[in-house]
Amino acid sequence: MAKDLVNTLADLKEKEALGMVQDRLSAGEDPLRILDDARRGVEIVGKRFSDEEYFIPDLVYSGEILKQITDMVKPKLTKAAEVKRLGKVVVGTVAGDIHDIGKDIVVFMLDVTGFEVFDLGIDVPVQKFVDKIKETGSGVVGLSGFLTLAFQSMKDTVGAIEKAGLRNQVKIMIGGGQMDEQVRSFAGADAYGKDAMDAVKLAKGWIRG
Amino acid sequence: MEKRWEEMTADEKQEAQFQKLLRPKDHEGNDLKFQSPEAEANYKANITRIKDAIQLKKTPDRVPVTLLPSMFPFINAGMTVQEAMYDYDRCALAFKKFILEFKPDMHIGAAAPGPGKFYEILDYKLYSWPGHGVAPEHSYQCNEGEYMKAEEYDLLMTDPSFYFRNFYLPRVFGALQGFQMLPPLTGILEMYGVAFNFIPYALPPVQATYKALFEAGAEALKWAMVMGGSNGELATLGFPNILGGFTKAPFDTIGDTLRGTKGIIMDMYRQPDKLLQALEAIMPIMIGMGLGAAQQTGNPLIFIPLHKGADSFLSDEQFKKFYWPTLKQVMLGLIEGGCIPFLALEGHWGSRLNVIQDIPKGKTVWMVDQTDMAKAKETLGKNACLIGNVPSSMLNLGTPDEVKACCKKLIDTAGKGGGFIMGNGAFFDEAKPENVKTMVDFAKDYGVYK
Ligand code: B12
């Protein structure tokens, strides 16, 4: 039974997955276990995405199903779910750029693979990145950008992190639309990732050390 | 005696369009007066070169070069994007400077910034632009949203124009709220009852909407006169703008600004049949949009930016089911009408090349962004002319020597035997002028076919 929800969600069967959650809640099952199954289902989705078996639509759809499940389960939760986290990552779309589709997918993938993600949103001023790194002690920063105007903003952000004396404690990755290796070198970041799988691989590599 | 347009084959129509371009007229319908015999010779050589590259029947004299910028001409002239959007004369002047400085064989006009005041009059909500949510020096950006709701497909399909006017437009233009109160035009049938249809036009919100429309129309015309003047002047100097208009792949029409990215993704799973029906329903409208624009401007190239069919956006199966069939029909419809679909493969499209190469030969042209050009040449390039693909990052951050090496590789692979136009891969804002210059000059020099 428990295994079913995991696979049903992984296979993106929305109605059936929601039905199972409803049944299990009605049967009085521990909501934390249901959430845990849901999370494992989405983890499989992430794996299939990495294996190029799934594509962006599958990710987005699984995220939507997960959100509904969370909404159903939440009112029944008595204590917050405790999840072991791999590490902390700060992510945002750099100053001047207001695009969020790519960044949201990166945040989603990092989250479902077990990172604690601090999503700063779009058009993020450099100081906000600096403050968040200080506050959370994150070891990884992901900068997203869509347009060529983001090249300079990425460089400025890396510069500000450096100036704040934090450059040695973080690894910085960039990605999105028109970014590539040349932009990475210009911005002074540590790595360029071409998609959300790369973001996960890079973060895992760095956090394991 | 010449054949009538309706009797011509697609081939003959395309040829006739090119012949028309080779004998350009001014806005009064007289033969265009070039500023010098040299300008006239350049103009005609440019058109002929592009024609040869597109038709794939003979190798052009050299690789043609185009520049397809977004805000670069204005930034390069020291203006902010905001200034380019609000000062039409300076916008046109900067564009002229850009063309005279870099001298591409063809261009697409100074219209990219658009008329800022016009967007203000209509209170456009779909985009943020300089001074309205974006800094003065940055380009306008789209505000992603579900402007059409999941349950509105039937409304859209029953009467697309009614749906647009009464539902979609009031959501994306603050000043067009009055449209919500208007009845469908198809109710106006006979004497009895006809007057009822007109009552809403007496209501203050409707009148306010019409007032905004008149003002917006006047502003758009003011801007268009400057843009038209700019195109005309550049033509007399030997630089043709052969962009005839724009349309979209039906999947992008729905996925970009109606349902939005997330919306259309949900529909592929939750209501695939509705989505497929809607794609079919708007397909002829997209053909009409292109044909109509070409008729108005007299130019055959119809731009179709391709968005949500890129590599990671859809699975192969989804691409073949949702994206490709109606896009192909749009292309065929345009070709049938004598137009040349000018598609932009935005982002990465390597996994789609085998599918999209299945098109009539010598009838289309494709701007290639991040797809591998050698692979594109081997597939799509057998049937179509390719443009590209010097990367934005290189134009912006590279050195002239790197640009040269990139262009050389492009000419050696994609340029082989014709069917290739040198150009940038993505619409660019920031770039080093010397890199742009190098790209054009190198292609003109090294790109000569022997
Ligand atoms: C869809 C689209 C639009 C839509 C957007 C609205 C919508 N609802 O979809 C519409 C039609 C409105 C549009 C408008 C315009 N667009 Co547009 N658009 C695109 C397009 C095709 C896809 C963008 C997208 O949705 N990406 C979706 C996400 C999933 O991709 P992503 O952001 O790249 O993210 C992935 C990876 O890059 C990576 N990633 C992202 N962030 C990070 C961070 C880290 C740390 C890592 C490791 C990885 C990573 O992971 C993500 C998931 O795998 C791109 C071309 C392209 N294929 O990239 C052009 C593009 C962005 N647009 C462009 C342009 C020029 C415009 C316009 C200015 C055109 C015009 N004159 O009107 C306008 C305005 C700009 C804007 N976009 O707001 C240019 C920008 C060039 C430039 N100068 O920078 C592009 C690149 C097209 C091109 N080849 O020229 N656009």
Side-chain angles (χ1 to χ4, degrees):
Chain A
M1 172 86 180
K3 195 164 155 265
D4 265 348
L5 178 59
V6 177
N7 288 313
T8 309
L9 180 48
D11 293 341
L12 304 175
K13 300 204 171 105
E14 179 179 19
K15 279 206 190 94
E16 289 156 56
L18 296 182
M20 283 176 185
V21 172
Q22 193 54 59
D23 290 347
R24 287 170 63 174
L25 282 173
S26 311
E29 198 184 318
D30 181 359
L32 277 181
R33 278 188 47 198
I34 302 177
L35 266 192
D36 194 50
D37 279 356
R39 197 168 291 115
R40 281 197 290 146
V42 178
E43 243 179 75
I44 299 179
V45 171
K47 260 195 216 94
R48 291 183 186 167
F49 182 63
S50 305
D51 297 341
E52 291 181 43
E53 191 184 324
Y54 272 4
F55 293 81
I56 285 173
D58 305 306
L59 278 191
V60 174
Y61 189 41
S62 73
E64 187 62 22
I65 304 174
L66 180 66
K67 193 171 149 271
Q68 293 179 73
I69 295 178
T70 315
D71 288 347
M72 287 164 76
V73 171
K74 246 194 193 139
K76 313 248 172 174
L77 279 179
T78 46
K79 59 177 195 299
E82 272 176 48
V83 258
K84 42 172 184 21
R85 291 292 189 175
L86 294 171
K88 295 175 181 174
V89 185
V90 172
V91 179
T93 302
V94 294
D97 202 324
I98 63 170
H99 291 93
D100 55 10
I101 315 175
K103 175 203 54 103
D104 287 349
I105 293 171
V106 169
V107 168
F108 177 77
M109 278 297 284
L110 287 169
D111 183 59
V112 303
T113 40
F115 289 94
E116 188 175 355
V117 188
F118 302 92
D119 181 356
L120 301 182
I122 56 172
D123 190 9
V124 181
V126 294
Q127 192 57 39
K128 222 169 140 185
F129 277 105
V130 172
D131 293 345
K132 203 71 189 178
I133 298 168
K134 276 191 192 149
E135 178 198 322
T136 60
S138 293
V140 176
V141 179
L143 305 180
S144 184
F146 214 56
L147 306 171
T148 48
L149 68 85
F151 296 179
Q152 188 60 43
S153 300
M154 296 217 166
K155 189 182 170 85
D156 295 345
T157 309
V158 176
I161 294 172
E162 181 129 34
K163 219 166 136 218
L166 300 167
R167 189 65 185 89
N168 290 332
Q169 79 178 55
V170 291
K171 290 286 188 189
I172 304 174
M173 57 182 173
I174 68 162
Q178 292 291 301
M179 305 309 132
D180 63 13
E181 195 47 42
Q182 191 155 22
V183 181
R184 181 212 58 81
S185 131
F186 167 76
D190 297 299
Y192 154 73
K194 75 172 192 324
D195 52 32
M197 283 96 79
D198 280 2
V200 170
K201 274 184 224 149
L202 287 165
K204 275 190 174 162
W206 286 329
I207 282 186
R208 284 205 192 110
Chain B
M1 196 39 222
E2 279 175 32
K3 271 195 195 169
R4 292 201 350 254
W5 181 255
E6 301 77 42
E7 298 163 355
M8 291 184 188
T9 64
D11 266 322
E12 290 166 339
K13 282 181 186 165
Q14 193 206 57
E15 189 58 39
Q17 293 274 33
F18 274 120
Q19 291 311 323
K20 210 167 70 188
L21 282 176
L22 282 167
R23 275 177 273 111
K25 305 276 182 217
D26 66 16
H27 59 274
E28 274 154 14
N30 304 313
D31 283 343
L32 186 72
K33 281 203 186 58
F34 288 95
Q35 299 206 10
S36 67
E38 193 198 345
E40 179 167 5
N42 279 340
Y43 182 95
K44 293 185 175 165
N46 287 343
I47 298 278
T48 306
R49 193 173 293 131
I50 291 156
K51 170 177 182 279
D52 290 341
I54 293 176
Q55 291 184 332
L56 305 178
K57 286 180 188 154
K58 66 192 240 254
T59 312
D61 60 343
R62 70 160 161 78
V63 170
V65 196
T66 186
L67 288 175
L68 307 165
S70 187
M71 299 303 162
F72 174 76
F74 319 104
I75 296 174
N76 188 43
M79 297 169 80
T80 62
V81 175
Q82 187 169 39
E83 287 164 339
M85 289 183 74
Y86 283 86
D87 189 335
Y88 311 150
D89 291 323
R90 275 186 74 200
C91 171
L93 215 60
F95 194 76
K96 180 178 165 189
K97 174 179 172 286
F98 162 74
I99 294 296
L100 294 183
E101 185 177 345
F102 299 102
K103 300 191 172 59
D105 295 336
M106 73 171 200
H107 68 91
I108 52 172
K117 173 101 181 292
F118 162 91
Y119 304 124
E120 251 171 45
I121 295 168
L122 292 182
D123 184 16
Y124 200 18
K125 297 181 186 303
L126 183 61
Y127 280 75
S128 298
W129 70 91
H132 291 256
V134 167
E137 66 276 16
H138 287 162
S139 172
Y140 48 81
Q141 296 172 45
C142 180
N143 296 311
E144 172 88 28
E146 288 192 30
Y147 298 100
M148 169 185 157
K149 302 203 175 95
E151 60 279 9
E152 290 177 344
Y153 276 100
D154 284 327
L155 266 174
L156 171 72
M157 285 187 271
T158 305
D159 185 346
S161 288
F162 178 75
Y163 178 77
F164 263 63
R165 190 189 62 185
N166 285 57
F167 293 86
Y168 176 66
L169 297 183
R171 287 175 193 159
V172 294
F173 291 105
L176 300 186
Q177 298 308 309
F179 273 165
Q180 294 174 80
M181 300 173 138
L182 294 178
L185 290 169
T186 39
I188 305 172
L189 290 170
E190 52 190 270
M191 184 101 162
Y192 175 79
V194 68
F196 289 118
N197 289 284
F198 292 80
I199 294 167
Y201 295 93
L203 304 173
V206 175
Q207 294 196 344
T209 285
Y210 273 88
K211 198 168 151 279
L213 281 176
F214 294 152
E215 257 180 69
E219 192 61 32
L221 181 63
K222 197 167 124 195
W223 172 76
M225 299 284 281
V226 179
M227 294 302 120
S230 161
N231 283 330
E233 189 190 0
L234 290 171
T236 66
L237 289 163
F239 302 98
N241 172 357
I242 63 170
L243 190 65
F246 140 95
T247 190
K248 289 184 78 156
F251 190 85
D252 289 329
T253 303
I254 294 181
D256 282 342
T257 50
L258 287 168
R259 294 286 292 126
T261 311
K262 189 172 155 200
I264 200 164
I265 286 176
M266 293 308 148
D267 299 337
M268 283 195 295
Y269 296 99
R270 289 180 178 160
Q271 41 177 351
D273 296 336
K274 275 273 181 278
L275 174 56
L276 285 170
Q277 275 173 34
L279 293 169
E280 286 289 339
I282 59 169
M283 181 264 295
I285 299 177
M286 294 297 111
I287 297 175
M289 186 171 155
L291 294 180
Q295 210 160 43
Q296 234 175 37
T297 56
N299 285 338
L301 257 75
I302 299 300
F303 185 61
I304 312 181
L306 300 183
H307 292 153
K308 305 223 152 80
D311 284 347
S312 61
F313 273 65
L314 299 175
S315 70
D316 194 43
E317 192 189 327
Q318 285 166 335
F319 182 77
K320 287 181 190 151
K321 181 169 171 189
F322 293 104
Y323 199 90
W324 177 240
T326 46
L327 168 59
K328 188 172 172 186
Q329 290 182 72
V330 169
M331 284 196 272
L332 295 178
L334 291 175
I335 292 168
E336 200 50 48
C339 286
I340 301 169
F342 166 18
L343 304 109
L345 291 177
E346 299 190 1
H348 299 261
W349 287 69
S351 67
R352 314 292 186 211
L353 292 170
N354 282 327
V355 178
I356 63 180
Q357 65 179 330
D358 174 26
I359 41 161
K361 186 168 178 180
K363 297 284 188 296
T364 57
V365 50
W366 301 68
M367 178 182 183
V368 182
D369 181 8
Q370 288 158 323
T371 307
D372 182 275
M373 212 35 154
K375 288 205 185 101
K377 180 73 176 178
E378 286 161 19
T379 48
L380 185 59
K382 280 195 225 145
N383 287 334
C385 175
L386 306 177
I387 302 181
N389 65 350
V390 183
S392 309
S393 55
M394 181 172 296
L395 288 176
N396 195 342
L397 309 172
T399 62
D401 280 340
E402 285 169 335
V403 173
K404 264 187 210 164
C406 171
C407 293
K408 179 170 184 305
K409 201 173 143 208
L410 284 170
I411 293 172
D412 290 344
T413 51
K416 218 182 282 166
F420 171 65
I421 299 175
M422 177 63 73
N424 49 290
F427 296 95
F428 60 110
D429 297 329
E430 296 85 357
K432 283 187 200 138
E434 63 269 28
N435 286 347
V436 180
K437 187 95 183 109
T438 301
M439 176 177 121
V440 178
D441 292 349
F442 182 82
K444 286 187 180 176
D445 178 34
Y446 184 76
V448 175
Y449 288 105
K450 294 177 190 98

